[in-house]
Amino acid sequence: MAERVHEVMSPVPVTVGPELSALDLLAAFDRHDYNAFPVVDERGALRGIVTKLDVLRIFRPGDRGAESLPAMRVADLMRQPVVAVDAQDSLATAADVMVEARLHSLPVVDRRSSEPALVGMVSRGDLLRALRFRVADAEGGPGA
C-alpha cells in the first residue's frame, strides 16, 4: 500500500479535553459510538487517547470501582504515551502499527511542529476500504 494515511483518514476527528468529566465522556461514547477519542489540549496538541476499555477498567475487581466515576476526568483515564501515525506515513505502516498494538484506530499527527498536532484519525475500516479499492483496481473489476 503506497498510499499515505492522510488520503484515507477522517480529517476532523471528534476529540475530548483532559478536563472533561468521565460522565460526559460516557455520553460522548454513547452519542458517537466510537471506540476511542483522542485527547487534545487547548492548542490542539495530542495529549492522550481514551478508549471504551479504559473506562471499563475501573469496573474490574480491585480497581477504583464505578462509585469513583463521577469524580473522575478524562485525564484520569487516558493512555499515555499515544500510539499514533504521521499523516505522511504509508497505509502499510499504519496497518503494521494497528496489528502490532492491537488497536482499532490511530490518531494521525503532524510531527513537523515541536508538539504533535492532531490532524485526523484512521481506522481499521479506512485501511480495509483502501485495500479493497486497490485490489479492485488491480483486477480491473467492480468495487472501486
Side-chain angles (χ1 to χ4, degrees):
M1 287 191 246
E3 297 91 354
R4 301 292 164 200
V5 171
H6 70 87
E7 297 175 66
V8 302
M9 71 181 190
S10 297
V12 185
V14 176
T15 64
V16 296
E19 294 305 314
L20 184 72
S21 75
L23 295 177
D24 288 339
L25 175 65
L26 288 176
F29 276 128
D30 189 42
R31 183 173 43 257
H32 296 286
D33 196 32
Y34 295 150
N35 285 309
F37 290 108
V39 181
V40 297
D41 65 17
E42 61 280 348
R43 294 182 319 273
L46 184 62
R47 295 293 176 216
I49 192 160
V50 63
T51 69
K52 288 178 178 177
L53 282 176
D54 296 325
V55 177
L56 289 175
R57 279 189 183 96
I58 69 168
F59 292 99
R60 293 171 62 186
D63 215 323
R64 295 173 271 204
E67 61 278 354
S68 63
L69 191 66
M72 297 179 83
R73 301 276 177 242
V74 167
D76 301 320
L77 299 166
M78 69 183 190
R79 296 179 193 193
Q80 294 175 298
V82 181
V83 176
V85 292
D86 191 274
Q88 296 303 318
D89 284 343
S90 70
L91 298 187
T93 297
D96 185 52
V97 170
M98 267 186 206
V99 169
E100 289 301 313
R102 296 181 178 195
L103 297 171
H104 292 263
S105 57
L106 294 168
V108 180
V109 297
D110 180 352
R111 292 191 173 112
R112 291 179 290 182
S113 61
S114 60
E115 295 187 39
L118 181 71
V119 295
M121 287 289 284
V122 65
S123 70
R124 289 178 180 177
D126 296 330
L127 297 179
L128 290 174
R129 264 187 301 286
L131 179 61
R132 179 174 59 97
F133 290 141
R134 183 176 181 204
V135 169
D137 286 346
E139 292 180 350

